[in-house]
C-alpha cells in the first residue's frame, strides 16, 4: 500500500526517517555537526526574514512619513526682504520690514566668509548629496544615548529645508522629511544656489536676517568682501546662539570671543587658513569694528508714511515689509529736520497751545518733488502707517481757492486783464442765499487784482458766474484738484470744498511753473530685488496758458506786497501767494462760546521760482478754546515765511512771457486782448456846479460825465469847511448830483469830485461856495441868494422861512407915514426914502428905492397875520462865478407855535 502525502516536504521527511531507522554496514554519522549547520542556517534564515520584515516596515514607515512632506515650492524659497529708504541724494535713511534682510548672490560672498560657515556648519558640504551619512550616524548614536533631539547632524542643505519648509519642532517624522527633502533639493538646485539660500535666510541676531544684513548691523559694512577674517568668523559663529554670542552686547563679549575662536580653530583644521592666520585673528579684540547696539526708530515718519502710501497707490499687491524694495525718495534731510523742529518745538514759531495744529508741504517748484512736510503737532503728530494731515486731511481752503476756481479760469477762458472790472455789490448765490465780504462792505466796481488783493468774496462769485461752473471745474481738475462725486457748487468760488496741503501745493505749483502742472510726489524711483527699476518721476502737463499763469502770479504778488499776505513776504525773494480763512457755523459758535470773528481754518499757499509751499493751521476738532482770532490767524504765513527764508536762495524773478503785455497802467493784458485797457487816469468830471439854497440851508452839487464811459465809473465826493480837513460826502456813487444839508452860515465850502473807472482814479474837479453870514443889525437881508438859489430870510417882519413856506406872524411890522419901524430887527427907517437892500420892495404910500429885485407889496402899510401871498421873484444874480437860474419858490406862513418864535407886541 502506497503512502499518501499532503506535500512534497512531508514525503521527504518520511523518507528521511526511514533511512535513519534502517540498519547499515557503515558507521553511523554523528548528529552533532548536523545540528550546528542546521542552527546557523536557521539563524541566517531568521535574520534574513527579520531584515526583510524590518526593511519592509521601515520602508513603509518612511513612505508614510514622507507622503505628507511639503513639496519643494520655489515660491517658498523667496525670503521676506526688508525695504530700504534713501533720500534725494541717495543716502540711506532707514530699513523697514518684519525681517531686516538684504538679499545677495553667491558671487557676492567672499571665500573667507564661505569657508567660515562651511568649517562650522558643514565641512563636507560639497561632497554629500544633502545628507552627511557619517555625521548623521554620529548624531543618531548620541541621540540614542542622550535622548532624541539632543544632538543635530544637519547639513546646510537640511537647514535650508528646515528654515524654508518645515517647523522647528524636533520629531522623528520631521527629521525623516528633512532628509527626504534635502535629497530632493540637491537634485533641483546647485550647491552654490543652496549656499546662497542658506546665507540669505539665517537669523544672526541684532534684528538681522542673512549675512548681508548682519554685516551691516554689526560692522556697518555694505560690501561683504570688506569683511576681515575675525569678522567673518564672528558672523559664522552666531547661528548657534545669536542672543548669547552677539558682540555688540557688552555682556556677551567673553562668550562671543570664545565662539569666534572656535570657528577660527575649525577653519584651521579644515585647512581654510594657516595657523599664523588663526593666531593673528584670535588676537584681535572681538569688539573691534563692532557698532554700538542701537535702537533705530524710523526717522521722518510723516514723510516716509507719505512715500509708502504713494508706492501702494501705484503698485498693487506690494508689501514693503517683505518685498525687499529700495525706495529712493525726494526728501531733503536738512529741510525735513527743520520742518520737524518747527512743529515739535516753540523755538521757531510761538504756538498758542499744544492743541493747535499745522500741516504743510514744501515742494520743488519745477519738478514737483516734495522736499519736506509737516504733519500735526503733539498728540496729532503723524506716525508711520498712521493719519497724515499733510496728505490725508480734508479741510476747506477758503480764499486760497479763488485763483484756482475763479480768477485763473477767467483769465484762461475769457482772457480778462488784471484790471478787468467786476462788481462788488450786494448779491446772492443762484439759490437766493446771500453772500457777504469779510468786512461787510461793498466797493462797487473793482478790478480783479484789487478783489484778489483784499480777498473780497462777492467779486469772486461774480467772476465764477461769468466763467461758468463747468469751465471752472475743468480748470481746477487740470491742477490735480478732485471733487466729491465730480460735483461742484457756486460756494466753491470762496473755497467751501475740501482739499489737503499736498493738493494745494500741486495746484499753485502750476501757476509758478509757467502753467505746467507736475503732480507732487515723494519718490524718485524704486529698485526691486532683481535689480529692475521703476521711475516715479512725473512728467509736466500743460494745465493752462502761460499768460494765465503769469497774470495770476502777478496778482498774487500784490497780495503779498500790499494785501492780506504781507506777513508772509520775504523781501529778498519773488514771492506770490494767497491767504485763506474759513468761519464757524453759527451753531458751533453758540455751542462753544466762540467770538463772532473766530475762524476755523487759516491757510497760506505761495511760491517762488524755486519752491512752492502750502500751509494749513487750525484745530483737529471743535472744542472749548479751539478757534483762531487775531494774530493766531497769521501763523500759517509765519510758517511759510520761515521755510522760504531758511531755504530759499534763488533770487530770480518770474519771467513775463511774450503772450502778456504790461501797459502804462502797470496792469497785464493778454496780447491782442485790450478791451479792458483804460488810460492811466480816468476822465475827470466836468461842469461841476455848486448852489446854495438859502431857504433850505443846503448846497446842491451837480456835474456831468461822458455817457459812453459812465457805466463803469463811480464818483467820490469830498468837501472841506473853511480850509479844514477833507470829509467824504459820498463814495463809490454813480449819482451825478448830491446835496449837502445844514450848511453853516458864513461858511466857505470847497468840494472835490473824482471819477474812478476800471480801477483808475481821475484828477479832481473842484468848486467853492460861500454861505452868506447871518444878517447884521442895520442891513435887513430879505432875499440873499448864493449859487443861484433864492432862499430868502425876511429880516424885517420876524418871519421864519421853512423850505418854501414863509410865515409872517403877529403883525409886528408898522409902517406909519414916512417912518417905518422894523420891530423884528429892531431897526428904524427914518425919512421918506427907505432903502430895502434885501428884497428891494416897493411900499405903496412911501417912497422906497428897490435895488436888485423888483417886488411889489400891494398891501401898503399892511399887517400879515396868517399867510403871505405868493412872491414871484426872479433872481438874476451871479454868485462865485457860476451862472444859474432858480425857479421861484412859493412861501407859505405857519403859526408861531409851529416854529416856536416868540411873539413881539
Amino acid at each position: 500500500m502506497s503512502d499518501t502525502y499532503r506535500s512534497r516536504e512531508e514525503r521527504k521527511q518520511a523518507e528521511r526517517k526511514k533511512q535513519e531507522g534502517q540498519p547499515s554496514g557503515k558507521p553511523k554519522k554523528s548528529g552533532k555537526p548536523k545540528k550546528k549547520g542546521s542552527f546557523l542556517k536557521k539563524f541566517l534564515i531568521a535574520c534574513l526574514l527579520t531584515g526583510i520584515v524590518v526593511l519592509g516596515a521601515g520602508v513603509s514607515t518612511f513612505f508614510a512619513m514622507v507622503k505628507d512632506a511639503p513639496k519643494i515650492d520655489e515660491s517658498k524659497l523667496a525670503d521676506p526682504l526688508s525695504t530700504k529708504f534713501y533720500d534725494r541724494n541717495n543716502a540711506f535713511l532707514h530699513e523697514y520690514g518684519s525681517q531686516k534682510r538684504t538679499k545677495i548672490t553667491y558671487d557676492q560672498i567672499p571665500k573667507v566668509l564661505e569657508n567660515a560657515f562651511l568649517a562650522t556648519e558643514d565641512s563636507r558640504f560639497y561632497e554629500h548629496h544633502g545628507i552627511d551619512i557619517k555625521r548623521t550616524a554620529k548624531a543618531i548614536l548620541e541621540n540614542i544615548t542622550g535622548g532624541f533631539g539632543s544632538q543635530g547632524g544637519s547639513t546646510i542643505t537640511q537647514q535650508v529645508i528646515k528654515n524654508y519648509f518645515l517647523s522647528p519642532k524636533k520629531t522623528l517624522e520631521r527629521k525623516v522629511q528633512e532628509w527626504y527633502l534635502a535629497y530632493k533639493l540637491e537634485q533641483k538646485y546647485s550647491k552654490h544656489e543652496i549656499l546662497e539660500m542658506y546665507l540669505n535666510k539665517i537669523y544672526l541676531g541684532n534684528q538681522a536676517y542673512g549675512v548681508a544684513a548682519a554685516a551691516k548691523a554689526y560692522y556697518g559694512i555694505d560690501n561683504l568682501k570688506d569683511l576681515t577674517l575675525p569678522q567673518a568668523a564672528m558672523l559664522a559663529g552666531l547661528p548657534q546662539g545669536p542672543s548669547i554670542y552677539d558682540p555688540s552686547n557688552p555682556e556677551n563679549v567673553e562668550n562671543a570671543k570664545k565662539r569666534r575662536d572656535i570657528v577660527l580653530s575649525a577653519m584651521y583644521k579644515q585647512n581654510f587658513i594657516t595657523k599664523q592666520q588663526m593666531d593673528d585673528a584670535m588676537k584681535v579684540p572681538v569688539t573691534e569694528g563692532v557698532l554700538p547696539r542701537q535702537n533705530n526708530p524710523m526717522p521722518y515718519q510723516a514723510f516716509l508714511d507719505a512715500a509708502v502710501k504713494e508706492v501702494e497707490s501705484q503698485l498693487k499687491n506690494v508689501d514693503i515689509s517683505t518685498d525687499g524694495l529700495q525706495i529712493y525718495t525726494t526728501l531733503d534731510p536738512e529741510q525735513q529736520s527743520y520742518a520737524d523742529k518747527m512743529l515739535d518745538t516753540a523755538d521757531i514759531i510761538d504756538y498758542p497751545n499744544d492743541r493747535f495744529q499745522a500741516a504743510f508741504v514744501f515742494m520743488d517748484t519745477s519738478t514737483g518733488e516734495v522736499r519736506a512736510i509737516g504733519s500735526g503737532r503733539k498728540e496729532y503728530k503723524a506716525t508711520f502707517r498712521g493719519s497724515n494731515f499733510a496728505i490725508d486731511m480734508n479741510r476747506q481752503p477758503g480764499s486760497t481757492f479763488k485763483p484756482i476756481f475763479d480768477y485763473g479760469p477767467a483769465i484762461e477762458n475769457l482772457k480778462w486783464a488784471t484790471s478787468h472790472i467786476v462788481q462788488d455789490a450786494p448779491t446772492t448765490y443762484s439759490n437766493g442765499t446771500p453772500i457777504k465780504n469779510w468786512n461787510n462792505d461793498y466797493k462797487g466796481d473793482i478790478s480783479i487784482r484789487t478783489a484778489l488783493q483784499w480777498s473780497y468774496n462777492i467779486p469772486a462769485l461774480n467772476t465764477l458766474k461769468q466763467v461758468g461752473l463747468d469751465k471752472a471745474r475743468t480748470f481746477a481738475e487740470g491742477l490735480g484738484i478732485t471733487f466729491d462725486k465730480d460735483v461742484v457748487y457756486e460756494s466753491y468760488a470762496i473755497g467751501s470744498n475740501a482739499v489737503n496741503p499736498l493738493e494745494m501745493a500741486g495746484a499753485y505749483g502750476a501757476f509758478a511753473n509757467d502753467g505746467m502742472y507736475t503732480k507732487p510726489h515723494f519718490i524718485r524711483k524704486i529698485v526691486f530685488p532683481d535689480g529692475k527699476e521703476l521711475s516715479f518721476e512725473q512728467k509736466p502737463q500743460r494745465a493752462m496758458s502761460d499768460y494765465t499763469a503769469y497774470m495770476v502770479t502777478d496778482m498774487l504778488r500784490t497780495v503779498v506786497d500790499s494785501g492780506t499776505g504781507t506777513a508772509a513776504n520775504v523781501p529778498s525773494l519773488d514771492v506770490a501767494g494767497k491767504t485763506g480763512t474759513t468761519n464757524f457755523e453759527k451753531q458751533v459758535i453758540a455751542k462753544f462760546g466762540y467770538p463772532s470773528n473766530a475762524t476755523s481754518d487759516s491757510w497760506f499757499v505761495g511760491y517762488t521760482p524755486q519752491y512752492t509751499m502750502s500751509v494749513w493751521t487750525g484745530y483737529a476738532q471743535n472744542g472749548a478754546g479751539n478757534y483762531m482770532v487775531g494774530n493766531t490767524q497769521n501763523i500759517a504765513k509765519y510758517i511759510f515765511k520761515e521755510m522760504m527764508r531758511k531755504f530759499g536762495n534763488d533770487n530770480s524773478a518770474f519771467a513775463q512771457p511774450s503772450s502778456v503785455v504790461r501797459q502804462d497802467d502797470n496792469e497785464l493784458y493778454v496780447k491782442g486782448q485790450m478791451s479792458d485797457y483804460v488810460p492811466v487816469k480816468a476822465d475827470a468830471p466836468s461842469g461841476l456846479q455848486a448852489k446854495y439854497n438859502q431857504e433850505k440851508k443846503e448846497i446842491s452839487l451837480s456835474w456831468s460825465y461822458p455817457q459812453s464811459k459812465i457805466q463803469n465809473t463811480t464818483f467820490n465826493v469830498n468837501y472841506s469847511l473853511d480850509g479844514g480837513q477833507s470829509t467824504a460826502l459820498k463814495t463809490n456813487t454813480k449819482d451825478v448830483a448830491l446835496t449837502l444839508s445844514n450848511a453853516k452860515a458864513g461858511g466857505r465850502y470847497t468840494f472835490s469830485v473824482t471819477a474812478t473807472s476800471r480801477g483808475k482814479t481821475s484828477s479832481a474837479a473842484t468848486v467853492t461856495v460861500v454861505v452868506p453870514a447871518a444878517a447884521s443889525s442895520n442891513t435887513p437881508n430879505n432875499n440873499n441868494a448864493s449859487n443861484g438859489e433864492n432862499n430868502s430870510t425876511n429880516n424885517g417882519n420876524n418871519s421864519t422861512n421853512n423850505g418854501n413856506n414863509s410865515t409872517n406872524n403877529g403883525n409886528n411890522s408898522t409902517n406909519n407915514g414916512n417912518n417905518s419901524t422894523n420891530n423884528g430887527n429892531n431897526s428904524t427907517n427914518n425919512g421918506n426914502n427907505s432903502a430895502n437892500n434885501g428884497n428891494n420892495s416897493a411900499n405903496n404910500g412911501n417912497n422906497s428905492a428897490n435895488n436888485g429885485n423888483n417886488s411889489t407889496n400891494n398891501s401898503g402899510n399892511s399887517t400879515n397875520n396868517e399867510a403871505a401871498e405868493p412872491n414871484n421873484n426872479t433872481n438874476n444874480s451871479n454868485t462865485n462865478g457860476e451862472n444859474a437860474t432858480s425857479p421861484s419858490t412859493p412861501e407859505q406862513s405857519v403859526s408861531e407855535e409851529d416854529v416856536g418864535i416868540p411873539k413881539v407886541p
Side-chain angles (χ1 to χ4, degrees):
M1 179 176 171
S2 63
D3 294 332
T4 302
Y5 301 100
R6 287 174 293 181
S7 66
R8 180 180 300 175
E9 186 64 28
E10 188 177 346
R11 188 181 66 179
K12 286 183 178 181
Q13 288 179 357
E15 289 178 349
R16 189 177 301 117
K17 287 179 179 180
K18 287 180 180 181
Q19 290 175 359
E20 290 177 354
Q22 292 178 350
S24 173
K26 295 180 180 181
K28 191 175 181 180
K29 293 183 179 180
S30 174
K32 193 174 181 179
K34 290 183 180 179
K35 290 182 179 180
K36 183 178 180 180
S38 175
F39 175 78
L40 181 60
K41 183 177 181 182
K42 291 177 180 180
F43 177 77
L44 292 175
I45 291 173
C47 288
L48 178 61
L49 293 173
T50 302
I52 293 172
V53 171
V54 172
L55 179 61
V59 171
S60 297
T61 302
F62 177 81
F63 281 105
M65 289 181 176
V66 301
K67 70 181 181 66
D68 295 327
K71 294 183 179 180
I72 303 294
D73 186 350
E74 189 170 352
S75 64
K76 292 185 178 180
L77 292 171
D79 293 310
L81 303 176
S82 55
T83 290
K84 296 180 178 63
F85 295 94
Y86 301 87
D87 68 14
R88 64 182 296 245
N89 298 314
N90 301 331
F92 175 78
L93 290 173
H94 184 70
E95 183 175 2
Y96 173 81
S98 57
Q99 298 179 3
K100 292 183 178 180
R101 176 183 283 108
T102 300
K103 189 175 182 178
I104 56 169
T105 63
Y106 178 78
D107 293 338
Q108 295 174 276
I109 303 170
K111 272 297 178 181
V112 65
L113 185 63
E114 177 182 355
N115 292 338
F117 273 94
L118 292 181
T120 308
E121 298 294 328
D122 192 354
S123 60
R124 285 183 288 274
F125 174 69
Y126 286 105
E127 299 170 14
H128 60 66
H129 297 286
I131 305 171
D132 188 338
I133 302 297
K134 187 175 180 180
R135 188 174 180 185
T136 300
K138 180 181 178 182
I140 290 174
L141 181 61
E142 292 181 356
N143 283 322
I144 291 174
T145 59
F148 185 79
S150 62
Q151 180 64 43
S154 298
T155 63
I156 284 178
T157 310
Q158 288 174 258
Q159 292 185 57
V160 170
I161 292 298
K162 179 174 60 177
N163 290 334
Y164 281 98
F165 298 103
L166 301 176
S167 70
K169 185 177 180 181
K170 292 186 177 183
T171 65
L172 178 61
E173 180 180 1
R174 199 220 70 176
K175 197 65 179 179
V176 171
Q177 290 180 351
E178 181 183 303
W179 293 334
Y180 169 73
L181 293 175
Y183 176 77
K184 298 285 287 184
L185 188 69
E186 292 261 354
Q187 305 305 306
K188 191 171 183 178
Y189 294 97
S190 70
K191 288 290 187 178
H192 287 175
E193 289 173 324
I194 294 171
L195 182 62
E196 182 182 305
M197 295 175 194
Y198 171 73
L199 293 179
N200 278 320
K201 184 71 175 179
I202 52 174
Y203 179 62
L204 298 171
N206 208 356
Q207 300 180 345
Y209 290 80
V211 292
K216 178 71 174 178
Y218 288 109
Y219 302 109
I221 292 176
D222 293 306
N223 187 342
L224 294 178
K225 295 183 179 180
D226 293 335
L227 287 169
T228 64
L229 173 58
Q231 291 171 343
M234 186 68 257
L235 294 181
L238 287 171
Q240 293 298 322
S243 61
I244 62 174
Y245 299 134
D246 179 352
S248 64
N249 187 341
E251 297 178 358
N252 295 340
V253 171
E254 184 178 353
N255 289 335
K257 184 180 186 314
K258 289 179 180 179
R259 182 61 185 167
R260 182 200 65 179
D261 291 350
I262 289 173
V263 175
L264 290 170
S265 297
M267 293 179 72
Y268 169 65
K269 290 178 182 178
Q270 298 297 328
N271 295 319
F272 289 134
I273 59 174
T274 65
K275 188 176 186 306
Q276 184 64 49
Q277 289 175 315
M278 178 186 71
D279 293 340
D280 291 343
M282 288 182 176
K283 293 177 183 178
V284 176
V286 74
T287 56
E288 184 175 291
V290 176
L291 300 177
R293 191 177 182 86
Q294 297 178 351
N295 180 19
N296 295 319
M298 176 182 285
Y300 317 129
Q301 291 193 36
F303 192 101
L304 297 186
D305 174 74
V308 168
K309 288 175 180 175
E310 182 177 320
V311 172
E312 293 174 337
S313 69
Q314 298 191 37
L315 298 179
K316 304 304 178 184
N317 302 319
V318 69
D319 186 345
I320 67 159
S321 66
T322 62
D323 288 354
L325 306 178
Q326 296 179 52
I327 300 178
Y328 291 83
T329 72
T330 61
L331 178 142
D332 185 302
E334 183 183 2
Q335 294 177 10
Q336 185 60 60
S337 295
Y338 193 76
D340 289 340
K341 181 180 180 180
M342 186 151 46
L343 294 189
D344 295 343
T345 72
D347 296 345
I348 304 170
I349 303 294
D350 185 17
Y351 297 102
N353 52 62
D354 287 347
R355 302 186 311 278
F356 189 89
Q357 298 300 315
F360 59 82
V361 170
F362 193 66
M363 182 184 80
D364 185 286
T365 293
S366 60
T367 66
E369 293 184 352
V370 178
R371 295 286 180 245
I373 66 172
S375 187
R377 302 179 61 247
K378 304 303 178 180
E379 67 173 307
Y380 289 98
K381 181 178 175 62
T383 57
F384 189 71
R385 294 302 202 181
S387 177
N388 195 328
F389 283 173
I391 63 172
D392 295 333
M393 69 179 292
N394 287 295
R395 300 294 283 245
Q396 293 183 1
S399 293
T400 59
F401 210 58
K402 291 173 181 175
I404 297 171
F405 207 67
D406 307 325
Y407 300 114
I411 295 174
E412 179 69 14
N413 293 283
L414 305 178
K415 295 181 171 58
W416 282 3
T418 57
S419 62
H420 186 87
I421 297 299
V422 290
Q423 191 176 41
D424 181 19
T427 190
T428 66
Y429 293 104
S430 297
N431 64 2
T433 303
I435 179 176
K436 297 188 299 182
N437 290 326
W438 56 267
N439 60 352
N440 294 315
D441 192 14
Y442 308 102
K443 298 298 181 182
D445 287 344
I446 188 173
S447 70
I448 60 173
R449 181 189 291 275
T450 303
L452 193 58
Q453 176 185 9
W454 296 109
S455 201
Y456 296 132
N457 292 333
I458 293 172
L461 176 60
N462 288 333
T463 296
L464 174 61
K465 287 180 177 179
Q466 294 188 57
V467 172
L469 284 172
D470 289 341
K471 289 182 179 178
R473 179 180 63 185
T474 299
F475 186 88
E477 288 175 341
L479 301 181
I481 302 296
T482 58
F483 300 100
D484 185 32
K485 298 179 182 178
D486 294 327
V487 178
V488 294
Y489 301 93
E490 285 184 337
S491 61
Y492 291 3
I494 58 173
S496 69
N497 55 305
V499 297
N500 59 56
L502 184 66
E503 289 177 309
M504 293 300 289
Y508 271 62
F511 292 123
N513 200 27
D514 201 34
M516 302 297 291
Y517 172 74
T518 305
K519 185 178 180 179
H521 53 287
F522 298 87
I523 300 172
R524 294 178 293 124
K525 68 176 181 179
I526 285 179
V527 179
F528 295 93
D530 60 4
K532 293 182 179 178
E533 294 187 7
L534 177 64
S535 174
F536 273 64
E537 292 183 6
Q538 300 295 316
K539 294 182 179 180
Q541 303 290 330
R542 173 63 64 184
M544 69 189 86
S545 304
D546 57 358
Y547 60 77
T548 301
Y550 186 76
M551 291 167 72
V552 168
T553 294
D554 197 63
M555 291 193 295
L556 294 180
R557 282 167 164 162
T558 306
V559 173
V560 175
D561 290 341
S562 57
T564 60
T566 55
N569 197 12
V570 182
S572 61
L573 303 176
D574 190 3
V575 180
K578 183 69 187 75
T579 56
T581 57
T582 67
N583 301 323
F584 291 102
E585 294 181 353
K586 292 181 180 179
Q587 306 92 295
V588 176
I589 291 177
K591 180 178 180 179
F592 296 106
Y594 294 162
S596 60
N597 62 339
T599 58
S600 173
D601 304 276
S602 180
W603 292 76
F604 187 83
V605 187
Y607 51 88
T608 69
Q610 186 179 13
Y611 293 117
T612 299
M613 188 175 185
S614 169
V615 187
W616 166 86
T617 57
Y619 289 87
Q621 56 187 6
N622 295 332
N626 290 355
Y627 64 87
M628 289 178 290
V629 68
N631 198 46
T632 56
Q633 298 177 13
N634 288 325
I635 291 179
K637 304 169 197 173
Y638 300 153
I639 291 174
F640 174 90
K641 183 173 184 176
E642 282 303 315
M643 287 296 289
M644 289 294 180
R645 181 192 61 79
K646 179 74 173 177
F647 300 107
N649 51 25
D650 182 354
N651 303 116
S652 64
F654 293 103
Q656 179 176 317
S658 60
S659 58
V660 175
V661 176
R662 187 182 294 274
Q663 289 289 7
D664 55 1
D665 59 357
N666 206 32
E667 296 289 359
L668 301 179
Y669 302 81
V670 179
K671 190 173 184 179
Q673 303 290 326
M674 301 297 293
S675 59
D676 285 322
Y677 175 68
V678 294
V680 173
K681 288 187 177 181
D683 293 339
S686 61
L688 178 62
Q689 295 182 353
K691 302 174 184 178
Y692 174 64
N693 187 316
Q694 186 172 2
E695 185 176 354
K696 298 181 179 181
K697 295 183 180 179
E698 63 185 23
I699 301 172
S700 298
L701 296 174
S702 64
W703 61 91
S704 59
Y705 205 78
Q707 193 63 34
S708 61
K709 300 179 180 179
I710 200 169
Q711 181 178 359
N712 294 318
T713 303
T714 59
F715 302 97
N716 295 313
V717 182
N718 296 277
Y719 71 91
S720 62
L721 176 60
D722 297 329
Q725 184 177 359
S726 179
T727 302
L729 180 60
K730 197 164 187 180
T731 60
N732 295 319
T733 180
K734 284 187 168 294
D735 297 331
V736 290
L738 293 174
T739 299
L740 173 67
S741 301
N742 301 317
K744 178 182 177 182
R748 181 184 179 88
Y749 288 87
T750 299
F751 295 89
S752 69
V753 182
T754 59
T756 300
S757 178
R758 301 180 185 273
K760 305 303 177 184
T761 301
S762 71
S763 55
T766 61
V767 65
T768 299
V769 175
V770 178
V771 177
S776 67
S777 60
N778 296 320
T779 306
N781 293 320
N782 296 322
N783 197 23
N784 291 331
S786 178
N787 281 333
E789 294 295 340
N790 195 25
N791 300 326
S792 65
T793 301
N794 191 334
N795 294 320
N797 295 316
N798 292 335
S799 67
T800 300
N801 190 337
N802 258 330
N804 291 325
N805 299 322
S806 175
T807 304
N808 200 334
N809 299 316
N811 195 19
N812 293 326
S813 175
T814 304
N815 197 331
N816 295 319
N818 295 326
N819 297 321
S820 171
T821 302
N822 189 329
N823 294 320
N825 290 322
N826 297 323
S827 65
T828 303
N829 278 330
N830 298 317
N832 293 326
N833 297 321
S834 172
N836 189 332
N837 296 318
N839 293 321
N840 295 331
S841 63
N843 229 335
N844 293 333
N846 299 311
N847 295 325
S848 146
N850 245 330
N851 298 319
N853 294 325
N854 297 321
S855 172
T856 304
N857 189 331
N858 295 319
S859 62
N861 298 324
S862 63
T863 301
N864 193 345
N865 294 318
E866 296 296 335
E869 293 293 327
N871 185 11
N872 297 322
N873 298 326
T874 300
N875 190 337
N876 294 320
S877 64
N878 184 4
T879 304
N880 290 327
E882 296 291 335
N883 296 316
T885 302
S886 177
S888 60
T889 302
E891 296 181 358
Q892 299 179 2
S893 62
V894 296
S895 67
E896 291 178 42
E897 289 79 11
D898 291 333
V899 294
I901 298 176
K903 294 181 181 180
V904 178

